[in-house]
Amino acid sequence: MAAPSKEVFPARLESLEAINAFVTAAAEAAELDARAIYAVQMAVEEACSNIIEHAYGDVQEGDIECTCVADDAGLTITLCDYGREFDPSQVPEPDLQCSLEDRPVGGLGLYLIHQMMDDVSFECRPNCNLLTMVKRRE
């Protein structure tokens, strides 16, 4: 198993490109295929966008800690933020059967993250929302 790599990014939309580059390098080092790398990129971007918008909201200062660990099975990505506490059980399941015209804006982020990654877990630690996502090698 490779040593974990960790970076701290400002919780701003402008950081998404740097976060993407960081997790892409980790996914490539984990020898994930192109499809898995794309899934990792999309899931991490969605998660970080939600952190920026919902955990920090109108707070000007905040960080997202991103840790990547590659092992024989694939890649584990952990995102930690210090914003508002997040309880995923309070997020309603999206209605995938309703028409686009009737669908509310937003609400698909968690669903998409779960679809793109093999394992997803949330933990609220004191002063830290911890999201762990795993993408296994095919």
Side-chain angles (χ1 to χ4, degrees):
M1 175 170 21
S5 56
K6 178 179 172 181
E7 291 264 345
V8 178
F9 301 92
R12 291 190 212 104
L13 292 175
E14 298 81 32
S15 298
L16 292 176
E17 188 175 336
I19 295 168
N20 184 23
F22 178 71
V23 298
T24 299
E28 290 170 347
E31 299 178 357
L32 297 180
D33 64 27
R35 185 179 175 122
I37 291 171
Y38 181 73
V40 165
Q41 292 168 330
M42 298 308 298
V44 170
E45 182 170 327
E46 179 63 33
C48 289
S49 295
N50 284 342
I51 290 168
I52 293 163
E53 181 178 351
H54 301 293
Y56 290 113
D58 52 1
V59 174
Q60 296 299 313
E61 297 295 320
D63 290 322
I64 299 171
E65 292 181 13
C66 182
T67 304
C68 298
V69 179
D71 61 21
D72 292 339
L75 180 66
T76 300
I77 300 163
T78 304
L79 300 174
C80 178
D81 73 78
Y82 303 96
R84 284 184 214 102
E85 191 172 296
F86 175 66
D87 180 359
S89 69
Q90 299 302 309
V91 177
E93 290 287 323
D95 180 1
L96 302 176
Q97 303 305 315
C98 77
S99 68
L100 288 177
E101 296 82 25
D102 295 331
R103 187 181 309 274
V105 174
L108 290 175
L110 280 177
Y111 172 80
L112 292 173
I113 290 169
H114 279 278
Q115 294 302 306
M116 290 181 272
M117 301 301 285
D118 296 312
D119 292 309
V120 178
S121 64
F122 294 91
E123 183 181 349
C124 284
R125 294 183 176 174
N127 301 321
C128 175
N129 295 306
L130 195 65
L131 167 62
T132 302
M133 300 177 284
V134 176
K135 191 64 175 173
R136 289 187 280 281
R137 245 186 249 112
E138 292 295 318

